Amino acid sequence: MDRIDREILKLLQDNGRMTNVELAERVGLTAPPCLRRVRTLEEAGAIRGYHADLDPARLGYPITVFAMVSLRSQAEKDLTAFEEHVAAIPQVRECHMLNGEIDFILKIVAADLKSFQDILTTHLTPAPNVVSVKTSLTIRTAKSMSGVPVPADQAE
């Protein structure tokens, strides 16, 4: 991955709706080789997809909760079963396995506290292998950035 590839990644991460012509112009290429590079980055998995950044509150989900889940067993089949269980809950937006005392942290959105309580009591705490669920309600978000930093000056 060279400097131009990294610049393409940075620009598309900032604005995935940028046209190929504009992208090519910004990185100093003509459109056809720029498109080839984008396709190569997609095929290599560096670009996983394109999406719109939606405002949860405007779509009826003003509540964000982080849930720390501890499991009884950390056998691979039990971890996979839990991951599959939470994948089926639309309000669970992120699920990360952790190292340490807590096994998973989940980011959950909800319409209100009652909706969150329903998710907690009907989907999370009774799930197989769950020992405990500790929750923290988000008061405000000081920083929320998608993607990753893309340094332009890495050695090639």
Side-chain angles (χ1 to χ4, degrees):
M1 194 175 299
D2 64 11
R3 179 193 60 77
I4 293 173
D5 288 338
R6 287 190 301 278
E7 185 65 17
I8 287 170
L9 292 173
K10 182 182 180 320
L11 290 166
L12 286 177
Q13 181 172 252
D14 291 343
N15 179 5
R17 293 186 65 166
M18 183 179 298
T19 67
N20 183 58
V21 171
E22 182 182 353
L23 181 62
E25 198 173 279
R26 301 261 310 261
V27 299
L29 295 173
T30 60
C34 183
L35 185 58
R36 279 194 297 276
R37 282 178 178 255
V38 170
R39 296 287 185 250
T40 299
L41 290 165
E42 290 170 347
E43 290 166 8
I47 298 173
R48 296 189 299 191
Y50 301 87
H51 71 278
D53 185 13
L54 307 179
D55 182 334
R58 288 188 181 261
L59 293 166
Y61 298 101
I63 305 291
T64 300
V65 179
F66 288 91
M68 286 70 65
V69 180
S70 296
L71 302 181
R72 187 171 291 105
S73 163
Q74 288 74 34
E76 188 58 37
K77 68 177 179 54
D78 295 321
L79 297 171
T80 301
F82 179 77
E83 291 167 344
E84 290 171 356
H85 177 77
V86 297
I89 306 169
Q91 295 87 349
V92 175
R93 303 313 300 169
E94 296 180 25
C95 174
H96 303 273
M97 185 176 168
L98 303 178
N99 176 29
E101 211 174 301
I102 303 299
D103 294 307
F104 287 92
I105 187 166
L106 311 178
K107 179 180 176 184
I108 303 167
V109 296
D112 52 38
L113 290 175
K114 181 179 179 340
S115 298
F116 170 69
Q117 182 182 356
D118 291 344
I119 294 165
L120 182 65
T121 58
T122 62
H123 295 293
L124 290 180
T125 54
N129 198 34
V130 170
V131 173
S132 71
V133 179
K134 297 175 183 171
T135 62
S136 291
L137 178 67
T138 300
I139 302 299
R140 75 172 165 227
T141 301
K143 182 177 182 179
S144 177
M145 296 181 72
S146 61
V148 296
V150 182
D153 57 353
Q154 285 183 339
E156 294 180 25

